Amino acid sequence: MITPTATAATFLALITTSFLFLFVTPPSKSTYHSLFISDSLADNTSISHHLRTLTRRPHSAGSEANAEAAAYVISVLTSSDIPSHIASYKVLLTYPLSRSLLLINPPPKQPTNFTLRQETYDGDPYADVEDEVLPTFHAYAKSGTVIGPVVYVNYGRVVDYLKLKEIGVNVSGTVVLARYGKIFRGDIVKNACEEGAIGAVIYSDRKDYGGAGEARWFPDGRWLPPSGVQVGSVHKGVGDPTTPGWASRDDDGDECERLSEDEVEQEGDVLFLPSLPVSAADGEEILRSIGGPVASDDWQGDKDAPTYRVGPGPGILNLSYTGEQILTKIDNVVGVIKGAEEPDRFVILGNHRDAWTFGAVDPNSGTAALLEIAQRLGKLQRRGWKPRRTIILCSWDAEEYGLTGSTEWVEENREILASRAVAYLNADTAVVGPGFYARATPQLDELIKRATQQVKDPENSSLTVYEAWAGSGSSPMLGRLGGGGSDFKPFLQHVGIPAADISFGKDYPVYHSLYDNFIWMEKFGDPKFQRHVAEASVWGLVALWLADEEFLPFDYLSYAKELQISTKNLESEISNNDINLSPIFKSIRELEEAAKEIEYQRKAIEESRGWITTAWKKDQLRVRELNDRLMMAERAFTDRDGLFGMTWHKHLIYGPTKHNAYGSQSFPGIDDAVNLAKELKTQESWNRVQHEVWRVSRVIRQASLVLKGQPT
Amino acid sequence: MITPTATAATFLALITTSFLFLFVTPPSKSTYHSLFISDSLADNTSISHHLRTLTRRPHSAGSEANAEAAAYVISVLTSSDIPSHIASYKVLLTYPLSRSLLLINPPPKQPTNFTLRQETYDGDPYADVEDEVLPTFHAYAKSGTVIGPVVYVNYGRVVDYLKLKEIGVNVSGTVVLARYGKIFRGDIVKNACEEGAIGAVIYSDRKDYGGAGEARWFPDGRWLPPSGVQVGSVHKGVGDPTTPGWASRDDDGDECERLSEDEVEQEGDVLFLPSLPVSAADGEEILRSIGGPVASDDWQGDKDAPTYRVGPGPGILNLSYTGEQILTKIDNVVGVIKGAEEPDRFVILGNHRDAWTFGAVDPNSGTAALLEIAQRLGKLQRRGWKPRRTIILCSWDAEEYGLTGSTEWVEENREILASRAVAYLNADTAVVGPGFYARATPQLDELIKRATQQVKDPENSSLTVYEAWAGSGSSPMLGRLGGGGSDFKPFLQHVGIPAADISFGKDYPVYHSLYDNFIWMEKFGDPKFQRHVAEASVWGLVALWLADEEFLPFDYLSYAKELQISTKNLESEISNNDINLSPIFKSIRELEEAAKEIEYQRKAIEESRGWITTAWKKDQLRVRELNDRLMMAERAFTDRDGLFGMTWHKHLIYGPTKHNAYGSQSFPGIDDAVNLAKELKTQESWNRVQHEVWRVSRVIRQASLVLKGQPT
């Protein structure tokens, strides 16, 4: 189609273009990245303002205050030139209508009628909005009244019940008293239910949450006051219980498919038992009513606590709970910075917004950091930066009920995300104190370490976060994302998207209590808001590199290494049984080879480039081809049939185990099968272990084939 | 990195490059495509030679002759400069060890001991290799000896058994005699088993397979001789029964996971009953031994046949079958022409190679056409053509046993194919006579029509294939790929890859008999091999366009139209019940909108292009982004949980129904639920219909979201 007359114009165009290219080169991406983490862009005052604004009122999912918080998030995104919208779902939430807990003490002591209230203190600036806080409860507890002798079950784990059985204590027909910690509260209640208990009370033992010494409790100290209660959900599943596996999307007035109330109960993820969370003080009061055998040392409280006995009784608990289940609109806020070169590759940052109370730590330290990132990106945009890939910033709703906002969104967009999402980067309880913590899928390990090497440590500006994290000489440790606990779960465990969760600080005794508020953060969590600054820098920098680097900075050698460690651990755990792990070891060697190969190929592309190639982006499809392999390899760790008995969970490397949704195990399917086989001791049950070993080896092989990119 | 001294060199490079571009333009893609279908490249003599060579000896899966055929395929690919390799699997095949069938006639007639042999004729050039043909049998029939009165069950469908029940005939404890046709033989046996029969004999009724008039049978006519037997598999599942859902890949001497013999039987896809296929003559002989009620008119044979009665008895059948199950190596041949621009996008052509006997029609008419395509592509390559995307040519093994070669390959490469396969184009019984037939996923409809408009009709060179196909004015009809029957199944129904199956001719009475040989083809199927030429042209041209066109030629408006028709049909089928189909209608409207939108976007890209953009391929990533949406939309019709009770089948639009693996239904999950509800007539069973309606609406919505490309 080229006529001779076009030729002169063509030459002119070419010459002009190349002049422009040579002399009007925009700042490099790395210049922008340095700027992103520079002091000139960081703004701890602004972060503090975000947090104060977001946490002014209690804002659980479905509340007016949480809608206000959503509006605030949108306003900050908008003012940072980030187009945003709300993705709403109508989901089944539960609210407490009535609660009572009566302890019938052994005579002559009078019964105790617990007030079930967390105390405010003199001068509490939030006292005027305290009545907006939901009464202490367990979301998705079953409504009902139960009366029974009380049994102390320690942390309510399977092993705890085994111990009780050893000493002849049966919990059938009793109301169990468990202490928080070790496992997910939903598992505490479910285990109790499976053991035949008729009700459950869970308290925060002061040994675990109460601290020590003078002035240890909030507002004087960082620890949970004796009246403090950890509220929370006991939902064992994921997302809206009325729409398991699909999105609760009603539009144009049309309802989506929903399970009926009966069907929800049959699914077996919610409504196990009437249960209530109580304070340390109430827990101790109940413990004092329990006789029977003295519990073993590791079941006892701190030195000032009474001696804990296991019962049953003579104390009798009369627990009454009525919750209402309501279909409620929830709002995810989604902000999108469209990628200039690869708009169809998504780097997603997310954090939830809803809180059980004020949520200064959980989750709005993360929201404040997310908004800080948004503002810095807004400033970069104004200086000419455009990301290569699309960056999506998400503020999730109803995480506390069961990761509901993120889960419904992922379920709705499953197929798009499966083919387009590069990574999901989460922050939840983003800042609770000093010290960097990260959990990630292993191909992100090196990237996260690299980011921490660029950012100043908030405790000591002469060190990098990496140096402080690594401590005295050892390599820093990353955690993994096998458990649930936050919004990375649907992305990683349902769809197979590389994921990370990034935070500062560890201990956090006021978790899910009335005292998780701005005052706590200002006094104990992050007085200078420098940890928030560092959180935003590391989190944002990881996202920026993922969005901007031409080659996706994924390292599958780390993945192979990590899998090797996990398999070695498994080997020692089951060494005395006739299980053949060589299929996994073999598949890991293949993955390692594939990881090395793709790294050579990346270098080969770079080395083959002349100036023309680079300037005119002639090999963009070649780069894309390699990146697609890196992106899709994580998907290959998923299996369509999912985990046995938990089929929504498709990832066979990282997922929850049956008896603890918090447990961050590798190979959850193998782990569950091993536990069952150790219990049943049958050949058949060990055969299932071997089958799960095969399944894991096959997904690892699928991943190495994807990295190689050629069918066999 | 650009120094001033580089500038001069740069200009020179630019100028040189643009001169080269302007004056040394290679032939356009469409020139090559015209060449591909031109008389100068087509070679019917060569096709005939391929077919004769491939069908010299019987070559069932696992035989030495089939390995020879593989070597021949490789030699042709290699001589066409198409690198190829063998992808082997070790799979469970079955071979007949002993068979006997004795009919105890009502006295005074003597018992009949059937020879179970297909007769050769004088001068049969294949007589000397006849002993290499496997004895007539059903692959995966259960071994055993059964004796029972015989019942005639027509085609052995569920409706046939209902009719028998109406007239008081119970098949429990009997050996059923069914005639071939209407449904898959595996379903005939499975239905018999579910009805309580102890054995099954299936014959080819001359009304269906025997033709009429003088000289009607082979070698004089195209029809099945009275002694001809349709051999075949009764495998109800897919692939190697010892590796359901994963690949039978043993390498480095390590075995993969396999089910034990017991576990295979528990899976319930094979080994239902002792059964045997028999000839028309033997079937009639058995029918003559049956008394009881006269079968209804539609159960009768042709006018010269005896009157068919249903029994039971008095004839008694004594059926004995012993098969051996052996793990056998099978060989897929895979040839790859690497794409020059998008090597990571695969257009896959496939056809199986193994045959029950000589396989001149099934499958080697397709193999001959595939080799013709390979040779033409080899010639194009020598003239400078390179495909934009990768073209993969596959010669599958062990299709006859249960789509085994293709299934194992797809299962092994599942994750790569899921992210990289553009389309799978199948041919099996590619040429059996005049008339073009195509079945396809609907986004390929227009492309296939377009290809037939370019190719001369083999019966009348003054018409195009399209004109002959369309006939008198009406638009040509395409079939769909809901059933099984050939190797498109794992690609489409397990992974969600757009697929087509293309052939010439329809009736094919010698199917799976001794007489499917080169003589039959030369005399009746395609004497001039012009139909093979046309098959290669249409099939190859569709592949070439998919591989070369910059924008993938997928039309989702056709898909929306087709879904609308299917839903309207469903509506009329269930009109008298309280089922709400509006979720599906709504999702189809969304799909239609998305299909229109992506078409506008494609045009917008084309219109926005200047000369620079085109010449320097500046918007390749933009094109890729749009193509990826078109490619991945089909994947979205799959659901990870799969069809109820047939979970390997992930596609919710096209798949088999429970009682007929051949049935080419839309919405198989709804169809099965409706059938069950009509039988059970309970509210619960109708609720399941509604649930299946919701599931279909959700996958259609996922597809429209993928076409749009943006998360909500």
Side-chain angles (χ1 to χ4, degrees):
Chain A
M1 296 299 105
I2 298 150
T3 60
T5 47
T7 315
T10 303
F11 277 110
L12 266 174
L14 277 172
I15 288 163
T16 314
T17 312
S18 41
F19 263 117
L20 282 171
F21 180 84
L22 290 171
F23 303 112
V24 196
T25 312
S28 72
K29 289 274 164 135
S30 63
T31 310
Y32 287 118
H33 300 168
S34 302
L35 184 62
F36 178 82
I37 55 169
S38 70
D39 290 343
S40 65
L41 252 62
D43 190 343
N44 54 351
T45 313
S46 160
I47 296 176
S48 158
H49 175 76
H50 294 323
L51 189 65
R52 189 190 291 273
T53 310
L54 288 162
T55 61
R56 207 169 275 154
R57 292 168 62 189
H59 51 288
S60 62
S63 67
E64 186 205 309
N66 202 34
E68 275 174 23
Y72 182 73
V73 168
I74 290 181
S75 73
V76 176
L77 292 175
T78 305
S79 68
S80 303
D81 299 327
I82 299 173
S84 60
H85 64 276
I86 287 182
S88 294
Y89 301 93
K90 208 155 97 189
V91 300
L92 191 79
L93 302 185
T94 78
Y95 298 98
L97 284 182
S98 73
R99 311 159 303 144
S100 75
L101 185 65
L102 181 77
L103 172 65
I104 302 160
N105 286 301
K109 202 176 167 192
Q110 288 301 302
T112 314
N113 196 352
F114 296 105
T115 63
L116 306 175
R117 287 203 50 158
Q118 302 180 78
E119 288 168 11
T120 53
Y121 57 92
D122 285 346
D124 182 345
Y126 294 106
D128 59 325
V129 288
E130 195 219 339
D131 61 344
E132 292 181 18
V133 178
L134 289 176
T136 55
F137 81 123
H138 282 152
Y140 301 111
K142 188 172 184 153
S143 294
T145 299
V146 292
I147 307 177
V150 59
V151 175
Y152 171 58
V153 299
N154 195 24
Y155 294 106
R157 297 165 296 186
V158 172
V159 289
D160 295 323
Y161 288 103
L162 284 176
K163 201 149 183 184
L164 285 171
K165 276 170 207 157
E166 276 169 25
I167 58 169
V169 176
N170 183 340
V171 302
S172 180
T174 71
V175 177
V176 302
L177 177 72
R179 52 182 177 184
Y180 271 122
K182 311 294 183 194
I183 61 170
F184 170 55
R185 77 184 76 72
D187 288 303
I188 299 177
V189 174
K190 192 178 183 205
N191 290 346
C193 184
E194 285 176 355
E195 296 291 334
I198 57 171
V201 173
I202 313 180
Y203 77 105
S204 304
D205 196 299
R206 64 170 139 141
K207 188 176 92 175
D208 301 311
Y209 297 90
E214 295 293 309
R216 57 191 182 182
W217 303 318
F218 188 76
D220 304 317
R222 62 194 299 273
W223 297 88
L224 185 69
S227 77
V229 176
Q230 182 193 123
V231 171
S233 172
V234 295
H235 186 359
K236 271 289 292 168
V238 190
D240 180 357
T242 71
T243 62
W246 65 90
S248 303
R249 166 70 81 176
D250 299 335
D251 37 22
D252 309 344
D254 294 333
E255 282 272 320
C256 68
E257 181 183 22
R258 287 186 193 277
L259 300 191
S260 69
E261 213 168 305
D262 284 353
E263 288 166 328
V264 165
E265 201 155 346
Q266 279 162 30
E267 287 277 304
D269 289 331
V270 294
L271 308 175
F272 297 109
L273 287 178
S275 70
L276 280 175
V278 301
S279 66
D282 293 355
E284 278 186 21
E285 174 81 7
I286 297 169
L287 278 160
R288 275 190 286 265
S289 81
I290 303 177
V294 172
S296 58
D297 286 354
D298 54 329
W299 286 40
Q300 295 298 329
D302 73 11
K303 62 179 170 38
D304 302 324
T307 300
Y308 295 176
R309 293 169 179 271
V310 296
I316 290 171
L317 279 174
N318 181 342
L319 186 167
S320 184
Y321 172 75
T322 312
E324 67 173 341
Q325 268 83 254
I326 312 179
L327 283 179
T328 309
K329 184 171 144 305
I330 60 168
D331 297 328
N332 298 321
V333 178
V334 180
V336 179
I337 307 178
K338 202 173 164 189
E341 289 163 75
E342 296 187 84
D344 53 339
R345 288 296 174 265
F346 307 150
V347 175
I348 306 169
L349 295 85
N351 152 266
H352 72 96
R353 193 180 62 256
D354 66 302
W356 281 127
T357 64
F358 298 93
V361 172
D362 177 6
N364 302 123
S365 58
T367 319
L370 187 75
L371 295 182
E372 164 78 358
I373 291 172
Q375 289 183 314
R376 294 194 205 170
L377 295 181
K379 288 171 192 162
L380 293 192
Q381 287 193 99
R382 270 167 235 138
R383 295 181 196 208
W385 166 83
K386 285 177 186 173
R388 177 185 176 92
R389 303 183 181 88
T390 293
I391 295 176
I392 302 180
L393 306 171
C394 303
S395 169
W396 307 118
D397 203 347
E399 187 268 1
E400 294 296 1
Y401 277 87
L403 320 179
T404 304
S406 58
T407 296
E408 299 308 316
W409 192 79
V410 169
E411 287 175 343
E412 179 167 33
N413 296 293
R414 189 189 67 225
E415 292 295 317
I416 300 176
L417 294 173
S419 60
R420 304 196 153 198
V422 167
Y424 174 73
L425 307 172
N426 193 63
D428 184 340
T429 59
V431 179
V432 297
F436 180 76
Y437 292 89
R439 295 180 287 166
T441 47
Q443 78 276 63
L444 291 171
D445 288 5
E446 292 307 313
L447 185 72
I448 292 170
K449 289 179 192 167
R450 183 148 65 92
T452 59
Q453 286 164 352
Q454 303 289 317
V455 176
K456 276 188 292 191
D457 189 61
E459 317 307 321
N460 179 350
S461 63
S462 68
L463 295 177
T464 63
V465 169
Y466 182 85
E467 287 161 341
W469 181 26
S472 49
S474 67
S475 179
M477 289 292 293
L478 284 105
R480 300 301 162 203
L481 298 167
S486 197
D487 297 301
F488 56 80
K489 186 188 185 86
F491 290 91
L492 173 61
Q493 297 176 13
H494 189 51
V495 183
I497 296 165
D501 185 84
I502 287 169
S503 64
F504 275 85
K506 203 171 186 182
D507 288 325
Y508 166 42
V510 299
Y511 170 65
H512 284 195
S513 78
L514 183 67
Y515 313 105
D516 179 0
N517 62 26
F518 188 79
I519 308 292
W520 189 92
M521 180 61 79
E522 220 177 13
K523 281 190 163 181
F524 309 108
D526 191 13
K528 295 179 195 157
F529 283 88
Q530 288 298 352
R531 292 165 193 155
H532 280 83
V533 166
E535 169 77 7
S537 294
V538 176
W539 186 17
L541 189 58
V542 169
L544 268 181
W545 283 339
L546 285 167
D548 275 343
E549 290 193 4
E550 188 180 23
F551 290 96
L552 286 179
F554 284 168
D555 176 6
Y556 280 91
L557 271 177
S558 293
Y559 222 126
K561 259 181 228 156
E562 177 69 20
L563 291 174
Q564 184 77 10
I565 293 166
S566 299
T567 314
K568 284 276 181 196
N569 289 343
L570 179 64
E571 193 172 37
S572 60
E573 193 191 336
I574 57 171
S575 56
N576 55 341
N577 292 286
D578 193 22
I579 297 297
N580 175 15
L581 291 179
S582 64
I584 301 190
F585 283 117
K586 192 180 162 202
S587 66
I588 293 171
R589 284 196 300 278
E590 287 180 358
L591 184 69
E592 198 185 334
E593 268 171 46
K596 284 179 188 163
E597 201 177 307
I598 201 166
E599 182 55 19
Y600 293 142
Q601 290 169 349
R602 185 186 65 72
K603 286 186 183 143
I605 294 178
E606 288 181 326
E607 284 162 13
S608 71
R609 282 176 164 172
W611 182 86
I612 287 275
T613 313
T614 314
W616 293 96
K617 304 189 175 175
K618 290 293 280 183
D619 61 357
Q620 288 299 291
L621 285 179
R622 223 175 139 198
V623 174
R624 172 76 162 228
E625 188 275 332
L626 193 139
N627 282 337
D628 278 2
R629 286 189 266 151
L630 290 165
M631 177 179 79
M632 296 307 281
E634 182 75 41
R635 273 5 146 241
F637 292 122
T638 65
D639 178 276
R640 289 161 200 223
D641 296 332
L643 293 177
F644 186 76
M646 297 187 285
T647 57
W648 183 90
H649 295 85
K650 305 297 183 191
H651 206 284
L652 298 195
I653 311 296
Y654 297 114
T657 54
K658 281 235 167 47
H659 290 292
N660 182 14
Y662 279 174
S664 183
Q665 303 285 349
S666 299
F667 313 145
I670 302 178
D671 202 61
D672 271 337
V674 167
N675 281 335
L676 194 69
K678 284 184 171 172
E679 194 185 320
L680 300 179
K681 299 185 176 66
T682 61
Q683 187 55 45
E684 202 186 340
S685 63
W686 282 105
N687 290 350
R688 239 209 69 214
V689 173
Q690 188 66 57
H691 174 62
E692 293 292 336
V693 165
W694 279 111
R695 295 183 73 204
V696 166
S697 73
R698 287 195 290 264
V699 295
I700 298 174
R701 183 171 152 80
Q702 289 280 355
S704 60
L705 286 173
V706 168
L707 277 186
K708 286 178 187 161
Q710 295 305 319
T712 56
Chain B
M1 295 299 104
I2 298 149
T3 60
T5 47
T7 315
T10 304
F11 276 111
L12 266 174
L14 277 171
I15 287 161
T16 314
T17 314
S18 40
F19 264 115
L20 282 171
F21 182 86
L22 290 171
F23 303 112
V24 196
T25 313
S28 72
K29 290 272 165 141
S30 63
T31 310
Y32 288 118
H33 300 168
S34 301
L35 184 61
F36 177 84
I37 55 170
S38 68
D39 289 342
S40 66
L41 253 62
D43 190 344
N44 54 349
T45 313
S46 160
I47 295 175
S48 159
H49 174 75
H50 294 322
L51 189 66
R52 188 189 293 273
T53 311
L54 288 162
T55 61
R56 207 168 275 154
R57 292 168 61 190
H59 51 289
S60 63
S63 67
E64 186 202 309
N66 202 34
E68 276 175 22
Y72 182 74
V73 169
I74 289 181
S75 73
V76 175
L77 292 175
T78 304
S79 68
S80 304
D81 299 327
I82 299 174
S84 61
H85 63 275
I86 286 181
S88 294
Y89 301 93
K90 208 157 98 190
V91 301
L92 192 78
L93 302 184
T94 78
Y95 298 99
L97 284 182
S98 72
R99 313 158 302 144
S100 75
L101 185 66
L102 181 78
L103 173 65
I104 302 159
N105 287 301
K109 200 176 169 193
Q110 288 301 302
T112 315
N113 196 352
F114 296 105
T115 63
L116 306 174
R117 287 203 50 158
Q118 302 179 77
E119 287 168 14
T120 52
Y121 56 94
D122 285 346
D124 181 346
Y126 294 105
D128 58 327
V129 288
E130 194 217 342
D131 60 346
E132 292 181 19
V133 178
L134 288 177
T136 55
F137 81 122
H138 281 153
Y140 302 112
K142 189 173 185 153
S143 294
T145 299
V146 292
I147 307 177
V150 58
V151 175
Y152 171 57
V153 298
N154 196 22
Y155 295 107
R157 298 165 296 186
V158 172
V159 289
D160 295 322
Y161 288 104
L162 284 175
K163 200 148 183 184
L164 284 172
K165 275 171 207 156
E166 275 169 25
I167 58 168
V169 176
N170 184 339
V171 302
S172 181
T174 71
V175 176
V176 301
L177 176 73
R179 52 181 176 184
Y180 271 121
K182 311 293 182 193
I183 62 171
F184 170 55
R185 76 183 77 72
D187 288 303
I188 298 178
V189 175
K190 192 179 181 202
N191 290 345
C193 185
E194 286 177 355
E195 296 292 333
I198 56 171
V201 172
I202 313 179
Y203 78 104
S204 304
D205 196 297
R206 64 169 141 143
K207 187 176 92 174
D208 301 311
Y209 297 90
E214 296 292 309
R216 54 192 182 181
W217 304 317
F218 187 76
D220 305 316
R222 61 192 301 273
W223 297 88
L224 185 69
S227 77
V229 177
Q230 182 193 123
V231 171
S233 172
V234 294
H235 187 357
K236 270 288 292 170
V238 190
D240 180 357
T242 72
T243 63
W246 65 90
S248 303
R249 166 70 82 175
D250 298 336
D251 35 22
D252 308 346
D254 294 332
E255 283 270 321
C256 68
E257 181 183 21
R258 287 186 193 279
L259 300 191
S260 69
E261 214 168 303
D262 284 355
E263 288 167 328
V264 165
E265 202 156 344
Q266 279 161 31
E267 287 277 304
D269 289 330
V270 294
L271 308 176
F272 297 109
L273 286 178
S275 70
L276 280 175
V278 300
S279 66
D282 293 355
E284 277 186 22
E285 173 82 5
I286 297 168
L287 277 160
R288 275 190 287 266
S289 81
I290 304 177
V294 171
S296 59
D297 286 354
D298 53 329
W299 287 41
Q300 295 297 329
D302 73 11
K303 62 180 171 36
D304 301 324
T307 300
Y308 295 175
R309 294 170 180 271
V310 295
I316 290 172
L317 277 174
N318 181 343
L319 187 167
S320 183
Y321 171 76
T322 312
E324 68 174 339
Q325 268 81 257
I326 312 179
L327 283 178
T328 310
K329 185 171 143 306
I330 60 168
D331 297 328
N332 298 320
V333 177
V334 180
V336 179
I337 308 178
K338 203 174 162 185
E341 290 163 77
E342 297 187 83
D344 53 338
R345 289 296 174 265
F346 307 150
V347 174
I348 306 169
L349 294 86
N351 152 265
H352 72 96
R353 192 180 63 254
D354 67 301
W356 282 127
T357 64
F358 297 93
V361 172
D362 177 6
N364 301 125
S365 58
T367 318
L370 188 74
L371 295 181
E372 163 79 358
I373 290 173
Q375 290 183 313
R376 294 194 205 170
L377 295 180
K379 288 171 192 162
L380 293 192
Q381 287 192 99
R382 269 167 235 140
R383 296 182 195 207
W385 166 84
K386 285 177 185 171
R388 176 186 176 91
R389 304 183 182 88
T390 293
I391 296 176
I392 302 180
L393 306 172
C394 303
S395 168
W396 307 119
D397 203 347
E399 189 266 2
E400 294 295 3
Y401 275 87
L403 320 179
T404 304
S406 58
T407 296
E408 299 307 316
W409 192 79
V410 169
E411 287 175 343
E412 179 168 32
N413 296 293
R414 189 189 67 225
E415 292 295 316
I416 300 176
L417 294 173
S419 59
R420 305 194 152 200
V422 167
Y424 173 73
L425 307 172
N426 194 64
D428 185 341
T429 58
V431 179
V432 297
F436 180 76
Y437 293 90
R439 295 181 287 167
T441 47
Q443 78 278 63
L444 291 171
D445 288 4
E446 292 307 312
L447 185 72
I448 292 169
K449 289 180 192 167
R450 182 148 66 90
T452 58
Q453 286 163 352
Q454 302 291 315
V455 176
K456 276 188 294 192
D457 189 61
E459 317 308 320
N460 178 350
S461 63
S462 69
L463 294 178
T464 63
V465 169
Y466 181 85
E467 287 161 339
W469 181 26
S472 49
S474 67
S475 180
M477 289 292 292
L478 284 105
R480 301 300 163 201
L481 298 167
S486 197
D487 297 301
F488 56 80
K489 186 189 185 86
F491 289 90
L492 172 62
Q493 297 177 11
H494 189 51
V495 183
I497 296 166
D501 185 86
I502 287 168
S503 64
F504 275 85
K506 204 171 187 182
D507 288 324
Y508 167 42
V510 298
Y511 170 66
H512 283 195
S513 78
L514 183 67
Y515 315 104
D516 179 0
N517 61 26
F518 188 79
I519 308 291
W520 189 93
M521 180 62 79
E522 219 177 12
K523 281 190 163 179
F524 310 108
D526 191 14
K528 297 180 195 157
F529 284 87
Q530 287 298 351
R531 293 166 193 156
H532 281 82
V533 166
E535 170 78 6
S537 294
V538 176
W539 186 16
L541 189 58
V542 169
L544 267 180
W545 282 339
L546 285 166
D548 275 343
E549 289 193 5
E550 187 180 24
F551 290 96
L552 286 178
F554 283 168
D555 176 5
Y556 280 91
L557 270 178
S558 294
Y559 222 126
K561 257 181 230 156
E562 178 69 20
L563 291 174
Q564 183 77 11
I565 293 166
S566 299
T567 314
K568 285 274 179 198
N569 290 344
L570 180 64
E571 193 171 36
S572 61
E573 193 191 336
I574 57 172
S575 57
N576 54 342
N577 293 285
D578 193 22
I579 297 296
N580 175 14
L581 291 178
S582 63
I584 301 189
F585 283 118
K586 191 180 162 205
S587 66
I588 293 171
R589 284 196 301 276
E590 287 179 357
L591 184 69
E592 198 185 335
E593 268 170 47
K596 285 180 188 162
E597 201 177 308
I598 201 166
E599 182 55 19
Y600 293 142
Q601 290 168 351
R602 185 186 66 70
K603 285 186 183 144
I605 294 178
E606 289 182 323
E607 283 163 14
S608 70
R609 282 175 164 173
W611 180 86
I612 288 275
T613 313
T614 313
W616 293 95
K617 303 190 175 173
K618 291 292 281 183
D619 61 355
Q620 287 300 290
L621 286 179
R622 220 174 141 198
V623 174
R624 172 75 161 227
E625 188 277 331
L626 193 138
N627 282 338
D628 278 1
R629 287 189 267 151
L630 290 166
M631 177 178 78
M632 296 307 281
E634 182 76 41
R635 276 0 149 243
F637 291 122
T638 66
D639 178 278
R640 289 162 199 223
D641 297 331
L643 292 178
F644 186 77
M646 296 188 287
T647 57
W648 182 89
H649 295 84
K650 305 297 182 191
H651 206 285
L652 299 195
I653 311 296
Y654 296 115
T657 54
K658 281 236 165 44
H659 290 290
N660 182 13
Y662 281 174
S664 183
Q665 303 285 349
S666 298
F667 314 145
I670 302 177
D671 202 61
D672 272 337
V674 167
N675 282 336
L676 194 69
K678 284 183 172 173
E679 194 184 320
L680 300 178
K681 299 185 177 65
T682 60
Q683 187 54 47
E684 203 186 340
S685 64
W686 282 106
N687 290 350
R688 241 209 68 215
V689 173
Q690 188 65 58
H691 174 61
E692 294 291 337
V693 165
W694 279 111
R695 294 184 72 204
V696 165
S697 74
R698 286 195 291 264
V699 296
I700 298 173
R701 182 170 151 82
Q702 289 280 354
S704 60
L705 285 173
V706 168
L707 277 186
K708 286 178 187 161
Q710 296 305 320
T712 55

